[in-house]
Structures are given as C-alpha cells and as structure tokens.
Amino acid sequence: MPGPTLRDVAKRANVSIRTVSNVVNGYAPVSDELRVRVQAALDELDYRPNLIARNLKQGRTGMIALAVPELDVPYFAELVREVITAARAHGYVVMVDQTDGDLERERELLGRDSRATMFDGLLLSPLAISADELRGRGNRVPVVLLGEHIFNGSFHHVAIDNVAAAREATEHLLALGRRRVAAIGDQPYATGETAQLRTIGYRQAHARRGLDVDDRLVVPTPRFHRRLGAEAMERLLALPDPPDAVLCYNDLLALGAMRALTRAGRRIPDDIAVVGIDDIEEGQYSTPSLTTVAPDKAEIARRAVGVLLQSINGAAPQPAEIVVPHRLVVRESTAG
Amino acid sequence: MPGPTLRDVAKRANVSIRTVSNVVNGYAPVSDELRVRVQAALDELDYRPNLIARNLKQGRTGMIALAVPELDVPYFAELVREVITAARAHGYVVMVDQTDGDLERERELLGRDSRATMFDGLLLSPLAISADELRGRGNRVPVVLLGEHIFNGSFHHVAIDNVAAAREATEHLLALGRRRVAAIGDQPYATGETAQLRTIGYRQAHARRGLDVDDRLVVPTPRFHRRLGAEAMERLLALPDPPDAVLCYNDLLALGAMRALTRAGRRIPDDIAVVGIDDIEEGQYSTPSLTTVAPDKAEIARRAVGVLLQSINGAAPQPAEIVVPHRLVVRESTAG
DNA sequence: CATGATGTCTGCATCGTTGCAGAGCCCTCA
DNA sequence: TGAGGGCTCTGCAACGATGCAGACATCATG
C-alpha cells in the first residue's frame, strides 16, 4: 500500500510536481487558484510526504539516537522521558536503544553496520566502552555522552558533579551525628569512573571533618541494582561493628539496602540512616521515603540535546564538560 | 562531513558503482581479485552505507515506532525493554515516543505530518484515542495495539485476559477469608476499558461466591499512579467500615496504597491485604513485597512485534485479539 | 569452428523529494 | 512600443543506493 506521491497529486491537479511540492511546503509564490486546486487534490488522495525521500535529499533525518544501559532502570527511564521531551521541543524524535552495558552493543552503535547513518546524532550513556575506543572510531555523526565516564575533552559530556554530590550526601549523614557511615556501590576498575568519583566525594566529606574511613565499610557492587544493594547491606550488617548510616551510589541500591534492613528488623533511620543518589520517583513512596541527591534530569536532557543539535548544525562549540546542578532532598530515611 | 559514497569507493578501486554495491552486500559473483581490491578501497575510505538511500530504494526502513503513555511508568519501561529486544531479534530498531495519554499526541502519530512514513509499522498503547477515530484514519503503515482498549476486530490487539486477571486476584483475597475487598482504579468512562474489564473480573469473583459488592469499596482513579493509589486508600480508610483487603488495578496504585497504609499505622497483610497487577520489579523490593498478577511481558512484546512484522511483510493474518498468559505471584502483602 | 552456457562486470533507470535555473506572462514606465 | 522587472510555474538534475538487462570474456561441447 504505497501511498500517493507528489507525482500522483500533480497529475490529478494538472500541475507540475514542483508546484505541488511548493504547496505542501508553503514555499514560494503560488497563485490562490492553483493553491486551492492542488490542496483539493492533496486532500482527495490523502497525500503524505515520504520522509525518507525528503531526508535523502536534505541529508538529515530529524532523528537522534539515545542509547542507555537499561531502560527499566528507573533513572534511565526518567532520563529517556526528559530527552524525548527535550528533543520534541526542537522537532526531533528519538530512537531509543539499550546496550545492557554490553561492550559489543555499545560498539555496534558506532560500528560500520550500525544504523547510525539514519540518525543526525547520538546520545550515549556508556558503561563498557573505553575512551580510546570511542575516540578511535571515525564517527560520522556527532556524539554527546551522558553521565558515566570521563572523556578528557574529546566529547561533549553532560553530568552532575559526582564528587560534590557524594560529598554533600555524606556530610549530611555526618552532620546528623552518624560516625560509621558506609558506602555501597564503589567500582574500583576501569569503567567504574562515576562510582569512583562518588567514592572520592565520600572520602572528602570524612577528610574535611578529620575523620578516618573504615575501608570495610566501602562495599563495591558490579552494577547498581536493588538486589546488589540488599546483598551489600547484609554483608555490612554482618560486621562486628555495623554502620549507623549508609551512602548508596544510587537509589536502587538504597532501596535494596532498605529492604534488607527492614527484613533484618533494623529501624530506619533510628538504627541506620540511608541516602541514595538519583531521586527516582519510587524513593518518594518507599517506606520510609528515601533521602537522595537529585540531579536536574530535565536540565541534563535539555543541555545534552541542545549541544547535540548545535553539533549537528555545525554550530558546535568545543567539546565541553557540562555540569548540571543537583540538590540534596531530605526525606524520612535520614530525618530521624 | 558527509561520508564517502559508493561512487567514491568505485572511483578509487577503479570499478563500477554496481560492483562495489555487490561487494558491500555480498551479492552476486565477484571475482576474488576485484573483491579484494574493492574491500581495500572500502576500508581505506571507511565506507558506511547510507541507509536512508537504501531505504528509499527498498521502501522500508527497518524501524518500527512504539508509543506508550509514559516511559517512566515502570510497567511501560519494562515493556519497552522487551519490545526493543524482540524487535532486535528480527533486525529491527525501535523509535520510542510517549503520548502522556494525550489525545493530540496520539493523533499526531497517525496524522498527516507525523513521521509515520519513516516507520514500517506502529505499536501503539492507546489511552485517549477512540476506536472510531483510529479506524477512520487511513493509516499507511500497519498498526498493532497493546494493552489498553478493545477494538472489535479492526486491529491486531495484544493483551492479557483482564477479566480473568482481576477475578483471580480477587479470588485469592477471598480465599484468604477476607470479606471486605476493595478495588482501586476503576475508570467508568469511554477510554477506561481496561479498568472496566478489571472491575468486571472483581465482581465476577464476588458473584461466584454469592457475595455482594459494597460499591463504596470501588474507588475510581483517573490514572494509575502512586499518589492516586495513596489518596484512594486514605479515602477507604476513612470509611466507617474500612476494607480488609484491596485489589489495585496496577502495581503503582498498590505501592501508593501500601504507603498510605503504613503511614496510617495499618499492618500489611494482617490488617489489610494488598494485590496489584503488572508485576513490576519494584514490587519485589517493597516493604512488604507485593502480591501481583504477572503478565508475560516478554511474550506480549514477542507476539506484538511478530504480528506487526507479519503485517509489514504482507503475510498478515486477519486482525486478531491475541491473549497472552498471566499468573498470580503471591508475596508478602497477602501472605499473612 | 560455431554454438551456447556460464561467469563477471557495467550502465541505465528508478525510489520520491527538493534545489536550481529559466521560461512565460503581465505589468510598468520611459 | 519595447525594455525591464515581478510574479508564477516548470523541467531537469541530484541525493545514494539497488533492480534489471545486457555486454563481454571465457569455456565446454558437438
């Protein structure tokens, strides 16, 4: 069922293809008489422009690709939503892909046979791919990185100040008088740069008060999921001298940790206070509700889309680290 | 930075454009000698096929569109994930859009100026648009409907058996000995058909046991969000004779309801048992964990993508109601 | 040696649209 | 009257790829 083309409409209205095109696009001077006649033909045939052809001619598609590790991780779902909204404001639509944090999938996005040529630009939230490899690939389309990873100056990169975020969250716990503050989510290996930044912030907060960090309280997790947060918490509870507060490197870890605490009969925040990072909606409705560091997700999306579109339009400033604001949201899990 | 084209490669390798195309696609007989020479040229220039051009020629894009009301509603996020996975298995990618359950946005997807011509098919989870309007639009591309709404035979439609799902959940509560079972989430108006089906199931369960339904226990909500679930629960608690169990029409409502119950000092499930529908991951980690009806989301995605691709390939069977299995998952919120 | 079958390779047309240059036409003004 | 300028409208070429038909060379066969 291929729809009617400009040619069909032109034949019916007895005008040139070009004139129909002009009517469709509101271009150029077209006499009222013809305009009416052509419009009638358009309506009768229910003409819809073939965007593929238009794109081929114009060299752009009006689509950007957005690749995140996991769509059903609430933080990413909320981010995707904001990106779609931001892109929409500029007349762009978004092709969403998930990489599962899988190196191969991330490579595919940039590789020879990818569908990348269908998109005017790529927003990538990388987990596995290395900076060098990213740079090495002769990308045809502009790329903007989201959140994870630091890519010293080769790419535009949008994120919050992770060191400050973790530091402020930790300071909040210390200010409550807690003295054994644990950290869940460190990733002391190549691709865990975001986690490492948060660990730095966590240590800074201690250092500023002249406090030592008990390294047994820093529990690494390979990913940021509820189950891993619960397991990490169980390990912490098994210590001879368990923590009285915990900074989780994202809200899912925190929710998992709270689940483990409740199951173990610990009271939150009385026995142990919990802080997360991300401010996912779920944290407002958990029991207890979750204190967290809220990145300005809408702003992340706006900035990322904005700089990507600038690059697409050739008005690209130098690749820059774009830092988006965040703020601490105090709820029941530390409001004891 | 427009990349090299077949023409550029052909010139460099001193062969015809057509031969380069053959090498790229592995088509036709090409002598080893030429193959090697062309491949070298391809590599040197780092050629990537222009998919837009290819699509124009072939009349298909390898992309489908998926429109859901809200991406950050966990059920939809999980569904989107499965759809992307299912489409990927067939070599398709997915453009995701969110309608916010807004009539205009749903219309846009089908309307004249939509980007619909860029996609080979559309998976739509409609909230606002009416059956008549959907049918009236001369759609260029195949459409498959997900979840919401019943469209008597005009479209392929994939969903669980909502009546049975609600009935089984209610029977589970009644089997526990609960006798004042409330229902949160009815939508007694045109576009709330899924909710209405669930209400039917809820009533059937009562009828089968010869029990009457106290209509004050059936609380409508315009949407399926945590906050609305909490508010509905508060209203139920204010009744002179509050319920001892509640069926929520999705898990978000249930999580909101549980939040309200906890805040009000009620014990779950001792004072009141709670059941949801959707089986979102969050329900496994809530306190208490949530009993729910689990639709087979992966199967929904597979069936929907499967029938959509069949339609795209012209091998379209008659529009059909495709019913996907579900099962009751009992967790702490009713396991008292 | 003529014939035809096979195997390689090429050029032209085409997908549906838009950019560009220019063809008519009418009007104005010297 | 005729040169010049606007206004409409048209046809051709092009975007980058693939389908098709056919050209050419090679080879086996009778």
Side-chain angles (χ1 to χ4, degrees), chain B residues 152-170:
Chain B
N152 40 16
S154 302
F155 291 93
H156 292 286
H157 177 235
V158 181
I160 60 170
D161 181 341
N162 278 296
V163 174
R167 187 181 60 233
E168 291 161 21
T170 308

Side-chain angles (χ1 to χ4, degrees), chain B residues 75-120:
Chain B
Y75 174 76
F76 289 116
E78 295 178 13
L79 186 61
V80 169
R81 162 178 210 124
E82 299 293 347
V83 167
I84 289 179
T85 302
R88 187 187 177 76
H90 295 273
Y92 268 76
V93 297
V94 180
M95 203 285 305
V96 179
D97 205 357
Q98 60 196 354
T99 61
D100 288 320
D102 183 52
L103 182 54
E104 274 316 310
R105 300 276 279 275
E106 292 184 356
R107 278 194 182 129
E108 266 178 44
L109 283 168
L110 307 161
R112 168 157 300 174
D113 293 321
S114 89
R115 256 168 249 261
T117 51
M118 297 250 277
F119 307 106
D120 297 342

Side-chain angles (χ1 to χ4, degrees), chain B residues 10-328:
Chain B
K11 202 174 301 175
R12 184 182 193 97
N14 230 338
V15 295
S16 75
I17 293 184
R18 193 58 248 227
T19 297
V20 180
S21 171
N22 285 336
V23 172
V24 169
N25 294 297
Y27 281 172
V30 178
S31 66
D32 286 348
E33 187 215 330
L34 268 204
R35 186 178 301 283
V36 168
R37 200 163 87 215
V38 169
Q39 190 58 55
L42 285 170
D43 291 342
E44 285 163 27
L45 294 179
D46 191 23
Y47 170 81
R48 320 262 180 112
N50 180 322
L51 297 181
I52 317 242
R54 182 179 285 174
N55 292 337
L56 173 59
K57 187 67 186 152
Q58 302 188 330
R60 11 149 86 239
T61 60
M63 301 194 296
I64 59 178
L66 168 61
V68 296
E70 290 170 292
L71 257 170
D72 47 0
V73 167
Y75 174 76
F76 289 116
E78 295 178 13
L79 186 61
V80 169
R81 162 178 210 124
E82 299 293 347
V83 167
I84 289 179
T85 302
R88 187 187 177 76
H90 295 273
Y92 268 76
V93 297
V94 180
M95 203 285 305
V96 179
D97 205 357
Q98 60 196 354
T99 61
D100 288 320
D102 183 52
L103 182 54
E104 274 316 310
R105 300 276 279 275
E106 292 184 356
R107 278 194 182 129
E108 266 178 44
L109 283 168
L110 307 161
R112 168 157 300 174
D113 293 321
S114 89
R115 256 168 249 261
T117 51
M118 297 250 277
F119 307 106
D120 297 342
L122 170 63
L123 288 179
L124 176 61
S125 177
L127 274 192
I129 205 163
S130 73
D132 287 340
E133 183 165 7
L134 241 184
R135 218 173 301 117
R137 311 206 155 240
N139 299 306
R140 287 280 178 282
V141 298
V143 175
V144 172
L145 300 176
L146 288 176
E148 305 293 328
H149 269 6
I150 321 157
F151 289 98
N152 40 16
S154 302
F155 291 93
H156 292 286
H157 177 235
V158 181
I160 60 170
D161 181 341
N162 278 296
V163 174
R167 187 181 60 233
E168 291 161 21
T170 308
E171 281 168 349
H172 169 63
L173 293 171
L174 293 174
L176 293 175
R178 310 291 167 140
R179 281 301 171 270
R180 288 189 58 73
V181 178
I184 295 180
D186 191 31
Q187 298 179 339
Y189 38 81
T191 58
E193 290 162 24
T194 297
Q196 291 164 33
L197 292 175
R198 293 181 180 173
T199 298
I200 292 174
Y202 163 82
R203 290 185 186 277
Q204 273 186 6
H206 283 79
R208 288 191 181 180
R209 291 194 170 233
L211 298 171
D212 282 334
V213 168
D214 178 350
D215 285 338
R216 288 172 311 158
L217 293 184
V218 179
V219 184
T221 64
R223 302 287 279 268
F224 285 180
H225 285 176
R226 294 182 184 85
R227 188 175 50 78
L228 295 169
E231 291 170 3
M233 195 68 240
E234 282 161 11
R235 238 170 305 147
L236 285 169
L237 289 179
L239 289 178
D241 193 3
D244 57 5
V246 58
L247 166 66
C248 298
Y249 287 7
N250 86 344
D251 284 356
L252 283 189
L253 289 173
L255 291 163
M258 291 208 296
R259 171 78 182 149
L261 288 169
T262 306
R263 206 192 296 262
R266 300 298 203 287
R267 289 165 308 155
I268 309 169
D270 312 75
D271 299 332
I272 177 167
V274 179
V275 181
I277 298 179
D278 278 355
D279 189 30
I280 64 177
E281 194 187 344
E282 182 177 344
Q284 298 171 39
Y285 290 87
S286 59
T287 305
S289 58
L290 179 64
T291 294
T292 190
V293 176
D296 188 339
K297 295 184 201 99
E299 181 69 6
I300 291 176
R302 276 193 300 268
R303 297 296 300 273
V305 168
V307 71
L308 184 63
L309 295 189
Q310 277 185 359
S311 302
I312 291 171
N313 294 322
Q318 284 301 308
E321 290 292 324
I322 297 174
V323 177
V324 169
H326 63 266
R327 68 197 169 79
L328 185 72

Side-chain angles (χ1 to χ4, degrees), chain A residues 159-173:
Chain A
I160 60 169
D161 181 340
N162 279 295
V163 175
R167 187 181 60 233
E168 291 162 21
T170 309
E171 281 169 349
H172 168 63
L173 294 171

